[in-house]
């Protein structure tokens, strides 16, 4: 008998989503979430952003392999057919998994920063392409220097500049890339807080982030959450969820004694 099939048949609602989700290896779970985000009734852009803006080259490679095996179709082809515009172009770039690693060149950081600054001022299609190319392909170490140079050139934080100059899911994706480069646990703490407090406990987002990060950096996410918002993640889940669903989320979250 297949365990996942039995879980699907015998459980229900959000508790079922959590239990079934925990059965997948990380790459297969990402593939599962991306498939449903692209092929569901409505495109779930925020799910695409959360996953593709935050994964390493290796994680993206494994996720694409899992996607092909599970659904017999190519992830990049599905992104191409189901999304559009510069949002699609940026997702496609991230899905290549070709970000440089461990490389930093101070001499080009100022040049990249100037390109980003011009892209925020002029906002042509060409400038948008240059903006996303830099954010999707430079190494994290390089981008740290680029963001500092951007601040020096413009007197403005790169996130504030992107928020001022762009809108829609393209803007959200660019900001997510920057925030993940700076501090991934802080990004996911922010996303969890939004999902819990701004969207009346958005179950899909809470479940996805807790499962996907549970064996990676959930302890750090919990720490950032408490530092930033005053209440623990454990406390907020306990306040908004209930029943077996609550117990399952709390078990993944594994709160400290003072969180109860």
């Amino acid at each position: 008998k297949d365990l996942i099939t039995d879980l699907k048949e015998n459980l229900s609602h959000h508790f079922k989503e959590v239990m079934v989700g925990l059965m997948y290896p990380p790459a297969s779970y990402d593939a599962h979430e991306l498939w449903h985000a692209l092929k569901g009734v409505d495109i779930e852009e925020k799910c695409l952003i959360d996953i593709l803006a935050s994964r390493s080259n290796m994680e993206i490679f494994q996720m694409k392999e899992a996607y092909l095996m599970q659904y017999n179709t190519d992830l990049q082809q599905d992104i191409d057919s189901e999304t559009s515009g510069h949002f699609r172009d940026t997702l496609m770039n991230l899905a290549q998994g070709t970000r440089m690693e461990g490389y930093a060149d101070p001499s080009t950081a100022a040049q990249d920063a100037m390109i980003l600054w011009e892209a925020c001022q002029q906002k042509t299609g060409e400038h948008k392409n240059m903006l996303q190319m830099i954010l999707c392909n430079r190494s994290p170490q390089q981008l740290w220097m680029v963001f500092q140079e951007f601040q020096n050139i413009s007197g403005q934080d790169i996130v504030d500049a992107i928020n001022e100059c762009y809108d829609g899911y393209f803007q959200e994706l660019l900001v997510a890339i920057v925030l993940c480069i700076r501090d991934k646990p802080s990004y996911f703490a922010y996303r969890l807080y939004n999902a819990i407090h701004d969207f009346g406990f958005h179950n899909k987002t809470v479940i996805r982030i807790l499962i996907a990060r549970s064996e990676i950096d959930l302890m750090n996410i919990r720490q950032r959450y408490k530092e930033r918002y005053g209440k623990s993640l454990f406390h907020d889940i306990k306040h908004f969820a209930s029943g077996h669903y609550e117990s399952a989320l709390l078990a993944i979250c594994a709160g400290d004694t003072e969180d109860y």
Side-chain angles (χ1 to χ4, degrees):
K1 296 178 74 174
D2 180 64
L3 177 57
I4 292 179
T5 302
D6 275 1
L7 288 171
K8 287 178 178 177
E9 288 176 356
N10 291 288
L11 303 177
S12 61
H13 306 303
H14 300 305
F15 181 59
K16 176 174 77 174
E17 291 176 44
V18 176
M19 293 296 104
V20 171
L22 288 168
M23 295 298 105
Y24 288 97
S28 296
Y29 185 68
D30 278 348
H32 170 268
E33 292 298 292
L34 288 170
W35 167 264
H36 286 282
L38 288 164
K39 298 295 185 178
V41 178
D42 297 307
I43 301 291
E44 293 178 44
E45 288 89 353
K46 289 181 185 293
C47 174
L48 302 177
I49 291 170
D50 281 350
I51 294 174
L52 290 168
S54 65
R55 301 313 193 247
S56 67
N57 289 346
M58 180 57 71
E59 287 169 332
I60 288 170
F61 174 76
Q62 292 169 342
M63 170 205 312
K64 288 196 292 187
E65 280 202 324
Y67 194 95
L68 184 60
M69 283 185 65
Q70 288 164 220
Y71 304 108
N72 199 32
T73 182
D74 181 74
L75 173 61
Q76 285 169 278
Q77 286 181 4
D78 284 350
I79 291 170
D80 189 36
S81 64
E82 300 295 340
T83 60
S84 62
H86 291 285
F87 178 62
R88 176 193 61 204
D89 296 342
T90 310
L91 290 174
M92 292 282 285
N93 200 333
L94 290 169
Q96 290 175 12
T98 53
R99 182 181 296 285
M100 295 181 76
E101 295 178 335
Y103 175 80
D105 178 12
S107 64
T108 60
Q111 295 172 18
D112 284 346
M114 185 58 73
I115 292 169
L116 294 183
W117 176 238
E118 288 174 0
C120 287
Q121 299 307 300
Q122 301 193 35
K123 296 183 280 191
T124 66
E126 184 180 352
H127 282 95
K128 289 178 183 176
N129 285 336
M130 291 299 294
L131 174 61
Q132 63 97 353
M133 286 291 287
I134 289 172
L135 291 181
C136 292
N137 292 290
R138 299 292 190 266
S139 72
Q141 296 89 333
Q142 179 75 7
L143 286 173
W144 268 93
M145 289 192 290
V146 172
F147 298 156
Q148 186 57 55
E149 288 292 342
F150 186 94
Q151 179 89 38
N152 296 339
I153 291 166
S154 67
Q156 190 176 29
D157 185 78
I158 181 74
V159 170
D160 295 333
I162 291 170
N163 283 333
E164 276 184 21
C165 299
Y166 295 103
D167 56 19
Y169 291 117
F170 178 58
Q171 169 250 322
E172 286 190 38
L173 178 54
L174 297 179
V175 168
I177 295 168
V178 174
L179 295 179
C180 285
I181 290 291
R182 283 180 168 165
D183 186 353
K184 213 171 284 185
S186 286
Y187 171 74
F188 284 115
Y190 153 75
R191 288 287 292 126
L192 282 167
Y193 187 85
N194 281 158
I196 292 169
H197 291 276
D198 294 352
F199 298 100
F201 208 88
H202 194 269
N203 294 286
K204 275 190 172 183
T205 302
V206 173
I207 292 168
R208 183 181 68 248
I209 294 174
L210 288 183
I211 291 176
R213 309 312 294 183
S214 61
E215 296 179 47
I216 301 172
D217 56 0
L218 187 54
M219 296 289 282
N220 293 334
I221 292 167
R222 279 178 37 205
Q223 185 181 345
R224 299 290 196 282
Y225 192 100
K226 195 165 187 176
E227 290 168 356
R228 190 165 183 174
Y229 305 111
K231 296 279 178 68
S232 70
L233 179 57
F234 195 88
H235 171 278
D236 282 355
I237 289 171
K238 200 168 179 62
H239 184 75
F240 286 98
S242 62
H244 294 304
Y245 175 47
E246 175 200 331
S247 300
L249 294 181
L250 294 180
I252 297 168
C253 191
D256 295 324
T257 306
E258 67 266 22
D259 293 337
Y260 285 79

